[in-house]
Amino acid sequence: MRLKKFLISLSVFTLLSSCFAPSLAFANNAEPTESAVELLPTPKESDYSRGPQSRSLATVIIKGAIKFIVKNKTLATNVVRSVAGKTVANNFAKHYAKICASLNPLLKWADIPYQAVYDAVYRALVNSGVAKGTASQIALAIKEGISWFF
């Protein structure tokens, strides 16, 4: 009986620590008050290309997801809220114009790697003065939201 109680309490502790540990890691990241702004270069298609390839199904899905984000602010905000929570969704809505401006050039690419969406959003937000932690959360939420289309 004692072994059963021990195993149950151990599993509950493991479950709770895995749920709250990542959120505590974000809470401990203190943003510096003054720093030199380092502009990150805009990603180019050549940064990700591995040679001539035919258009993949993933590229078609990613382009459709980007068009969905650009055309449907409210629905895209709801997807981000489902993926990452209310705070990230509010930040997404606040910086929506910057996000759309960073995603539109990707639609001209012949082949869009999955990581390029994250990189484009992150770089655009950081270059516009958004904190790196916030930019990372928004970019990751968009990347995970796009994975729902697969």
Side-chain angles (χ1 to χ4, degrees):
M1 187 68 170
R2 294 179 76 196
L3 179 63
K4 185 176 180 182
K5 287 182 180 180
F6 174 75
L7 291 175
I8 291 172
S9 63
L10 181 64
S11 63
V12 168
F13 173 75
T14 305
L15 178 66
L16 289 176
S17 65
S18 66
C19 292
F20 294 113
S23 64
L24 292 176
F26 282 116
N28 291 334
N29 290 342
E31 294 295 323
T33 55
E34 280 188 24
S35 64
V37 176
E38 177 186 341
L39 295 179
L40 301 171
T42 304
K44 298 179 225 111
E45 185 174 10
S46 60
D47 294 340
Y48 299 95
S49 65
R50 294 180 231 161
Q53 298 174 347
S54 63
R55 182 175 279 178
S56 66
L57 178 62
T59 297
V60 174
I61 293 172
I62 291 171
K63 282 188 176 189
I66 290 172
K67 289 175 185 175
F68 171 81
I69 291 170
V70 171
K71 292 179 181 178
N72 303 301
K73 178 180 180 180
T74 305
L75 293 175
T77 304
N78 290 340
V79 170
V80 170
R81 181 176 288 115
S82 299
V83 171
K86 182 179 177 182
T87 304
V88 178
N90 290 340
N91 287 329
F92 172 84
K94 180 179 176 182
H95 302 291
Y96 179 75
K98 298 170 194 166
I99 292 167
C100 289
S102 68
L103 292 175
N104 279 330
L106 296 179
L107 293 173
K108 297 175 185 169
W109 291 13
D111 198 26
I112 304 174
Y114 193 51
Q115 184 65 28
V117 174
Y118 176 92
D119 292 342
V121 171
Y122 178 81
R123 289 176 183 178
L125 291 175
V126 168
N127 288 344
S128 66
V130 177
K132 289 183 179 181
T134 303
S136 176
Q137 290 174 345
I138 293 171
L140 185 60
I142 291 171
K143 182 179 172 184
E144 290 299 317
I146 288 175
S147 73
W148 287 12
F149 284 92
F150 285 101

